[in-house]
Amino acid sequence: MRDRLFIDGKWVAPAKGGTFTVIDPATEAVVHQAPAGTGEDIDAAVAAARRAFDEGPWRKMSGRERAAVLRRVSDLILVRRQELARLEVIDNGKPLPEAVWDMEDTAGCFAFYAGLAEEMDDNPEEAIPLAEPRFSSKVVREPVGVAGAIIPWNYPLLMASWKVAPALAAGCTMVLKPSELTPLTALELGAIVAEAGLPAGVLNIVTGLGPDAGRPLSEHPGIDKLAFTGSVPTGAKIMAAAARDIKNVSLELGGKSPFVVFADSDIDKAVEWIMFGIFWNQGQVCSATSRVLVEESLYPALLERLVAESAKIRIGNGLEDGTLLGPLVSKGQYDKVLAAIERGKAEGATVAGGGRRPAGLNTGYFLEPTILTDMPETSAVWTEEIFGPVVCVKPFRDEAEAIRMANDSRFGLAAAVMSKDRARCERVAKAFRAGIVWINCSQPTFTEAPWGGYKQSGIGRELGRWGLSNYLEVKQITAFESDEPWGWYIKPA
């Protein structure tokens, strides 16, 4: 576990020498004292990134040269995936198989953007047809500059890769600030990129508390682009900070995603995908389908099966074989989720299953998979993101009501629909006001496809070619090709 910051290709002590505590959420034991960066360290990291962008070789390299480094990063992550996954479990609490999958996806993300970097060499510019024959015009894409990235604690290294990989592929340099709850694998990324041959200053990693390191990064005048994943309130503050300097910003924020299940659905398949949509990663997923809408005729049988199957989920330390639900990430998050359940009950919700600390797990931030019913549509548990293993289930009468209820949210990140009638699924998918829609499933995420939401769920798209575009500026270059004089002010003799 690293005890220094990664700035300008070197491991350096925080300017003020501070540390903060890293706690294993399964045991509540202190596992590390991580380096606590502050504004001075952010200044140093931004300065290093600026020098690397303005004077260094990275943005001047061909796409293929950058791709070679990104592929080495991918390979090194794969070689170390078991070790990195164990660090992620200790830091975040998720089951080890989920963490291993995250590491494989992280490696895949770097490999994917290596491919797009190579493609940039094949298409360095785009000719623009003009109606005026005396002119030619073309478009070139250039790196946006120095990017700042602030990432969440639910997928620590994977969310870092969603920002770092496309930024580096584009030729940008970056300052990365991970969550103070989960700093361990982000610091390891510094060692990995150094071993892969990334030039000094291209990626800088500053751990620390939000007010001490995150805020100075979001407000720093030397940053050209800000990318943030996290809560709506924090996203709003970052957007306000970016507005002062008219910074390029992309935000991936919260969600309260609906899952509409029609009566012709197979109950086994529906229950499996409902559970995967809310209990994976302890429900700490921005796109979690936490509002389940079930057609009235199927509702009683599906609810009974969902309660029974959820009670079978093995809860425990993520490092133990067979664990399918680990602890919540921190005491603060655990308390927030419990408070949300209590508020839901006060507003009329019924706890159909779970809602308590599991028997025999007296240490750690563990919570049973929780199923709530009977809540009014105005209830906070129905309208607000809980970010825990809590699903709200309500019946609906017909397709029109399902669509109305699904779209009645200030969020619009994701939505899911299940039915054997594919035409109906396609119709409902088009009616959803959400940036990501799943048919007959929930949560599959592919690096090739865009990721982002409508409404208060964010601005912009990550992943796929859209993720690369986040870190590119578009420049028009137009030339006057005629030998004839323009003649507007100076008339031909």
Side-chain angles (χ1 to χ4, degrees):
M1 298 183 191
R2 308 281 169 177
D3 59 2
R4 298 196 166 212
L5 310 173
F6 187 69
I7 297 175
D8 204 14
K10 307 178 190 71
W11 294 102
V12 299
K16 292 184 176 178
T19 62
F20 61 95
T21 299
V22 180
I23 294 174
D24 182 339
T27 65
E28 301 183 41
V30 174
V31 294
H32 189 49
Q33 294 294 330
T38 56
E40 293 92 332
D41 303 297
I42 292 294
D43 286 342
V46 173
R50 175 57 61 191
R51 284 193 303 273
F53 184 77
D54 290 344
E55 304 167 17
W58 186 249
R59 75 179 173 117
K60 303 178 184 73
M61 288 180 176
S62 68
R64 283 177 173 78
E65 289 172 322
R66 290 198 294 270
V69 177
L70 294 177
R71 290 193 196 283
R72 287 196 290 272
V73 171
S74 174
D75 291 343
L76 289 167
I77 290 169
L78 284 176
V79 168
R80 296 184 57 188
R81 63 183 176 273
Q82 291 292 336
E83 169 202 348
L84 292 168
R86 289 183 68 85
L87 272 182
E88 207 80 299
V89 174
I90 292 167
D91 220 5
N92 167 276
K94 66 179 63 188
L96 183 60
E98 293 185 24
V100 172
W101 194 349
D102 288 355
M103 296 309 108
E104 291 169 349
D105 281 352
T106 299
C109 186
F110 278 98
F112 174 79
Y113 283 104
L116 290 194
E118 291 169 338
E119 289 180 15
M120 290 175 68
D121 282 353
D122 299 329
N123 301 284
E125 58 188 45
E126 177 187 353
I128 306 298
L130 301 176
E132 167 56 81
R134 290 176 294 173
F135 292 86
S136 68
S137 188
K138 63 182 179 182
V139 164
V140 296
R141 296 180 297 167
E142 298 178 344
V144 70
V146 177
I150 301 175
I151 58 171
W153 44 258
N154 56 339
Y155 292 93
L157 192 57
L158 181 57
M159 290 294 100
S161 75
W162 283 22
K163 292 171 174 54
V164 173
L168 300 192
C172 295
T173 59
M174 177 171 274
V175 178
L176 175 68
K177 194 277 177 190
S179 168
E180 57 265 36
L181 294 178
T182 53
L184 300 182
T185 52
L187 288 170
E188 287 305 310
L189 183 60
I192 289 169
V193 298
E195 186 177 348
L198 189 72
V202 173
L203 178 63
N204 306 272
I205 303 167
V206 179
T207 54
L209 304 182
D212 299 335
R215 184 180 299 159
L217 179 59
S218 67
E219 296 176 351
H220 204 288
I223 294 292
D224 300 306
K225 156 81 181 183
L226 274 170
F228 170 77
T229 297
S231 70
V232 171
T234 304
K237 292 176 184 177
I238 286 172
M239 191 171 179
R244 286 195 288 272
D245 295 322
I246 319 296
K247 280 189 176 68
N248 184 319
V249 62
S250 55
L251 305 172
E252 200 267 274
L253 306 177
K256 191 70 177 178
S257 302
F259 192 160
V260 174
V261 182
F262 285 96
D264 64 343
S265 301
D266 178 278
I267 286 186
D268 285 349
K269 292 178 181 177
V271 169
E272 170 67 24
W273 282 113
I274 289 168
M275 293 195 298
F276 193 81
I278 188 60
F279 301 140
W280 176 264
N281 203 37
Q282 295 71 249
Q284 298 167 142
V285 183
C286 54
S287 60
T289 38
S290 55
R291 291 187 298 141
V292 174
L293 299 160
V294 185
E295 196 166 4
E296 283 178 338
S297 60
L298 183 63
Y299 179 80
L302 185 143
L303 179 60
E304 181 181 7
R305 185 66 182 278
L306 178 61
V307 170
E309 294 299 328
S310 298
K312 298 175 186 177
I313 294 173
R314 181 170 174 177
I315 308 169
N317 190 314
L319 294 176
E320 294 174 358
D321 289 344
T323 294
L324 290 176
L325 189 76
L328 292 166
V329 73
S330 68
K331 186 178 188 303
Q333 186 62 19
Y334 179 73
D335 290 343
K336 286 178 185 177
V337 175
L338 286 178
I341 294 171
E342 290 304 310
R343 181 177 177 183
K345 289 160 62 177
E347 293 177 342
T350 299
V351 179
R356 301 178 298 272
R357 174 179 285 276
L361 291 173
N362 298 320
T363 301
Y365 311 124
F366 294 100
L367 179 65
E368 293 174 335
T370 302
I371 301 162
L372 302 180
T373 61
D374 304 323
M375 72 294 296
E377 288 186 55
T378 56
S379 170
V381 292
W382 185 255
T383 60
E384 298 299 322
E385 186 174 45
I386 297 174
F387 227 62
V390 181
V391 63
C392 299
V393 188
K394 288 183 74 69
F396 67 87
R397 289 188 303 275
D398 54 28
E399 183 177 316
E401 183 178 57
I403 292 169
R404 179 196 64 76
M405 294 172 71
N407 287 336
D408 185 16
S409 173
R410 65 191 177 100
F411 300 108
L413 182 55
V417 57
M418 177 169 281
S419 172
K420 292 177 181 175
D421 183 342
R422 184 57 182 267
R424 175 163 57 186
C425 287
E426 295 287 350
R427 187 169 61 244
V428 172
K430 290 179 181 177
F432 283 143
R433 295 290 296 162
I436 303 151
V437 175
W438 295 293
I439 292 176
N440 292 328
C441 60
S442 177
Q443 304 309 308
T445 304
F446 300 96
T447 307
E448 300 87 350
W451 184 273
Y454 291 10
K455 298 184 274 188
Q456 290 189 27
S457 287
I459 296 172
R461 295 295 181 268
E462 294 189 299
L463 297 182
R465 57 185 172 83
W466 300 267
L468 182 66
S469 295
N470 271 337
Y471 298 95
L472 291 169
E473 294 280 18
V474 175
K475 177 183 287 185
Q476 173 211 144
I477 300 175
T478 297
F480 185 53
E481 303 288 1
S482 175
D483 291 333
E484 298 177 3
W486 185 237
W488 187 263
Y489 293 104
I490 301 174
K491 305 300 180 183

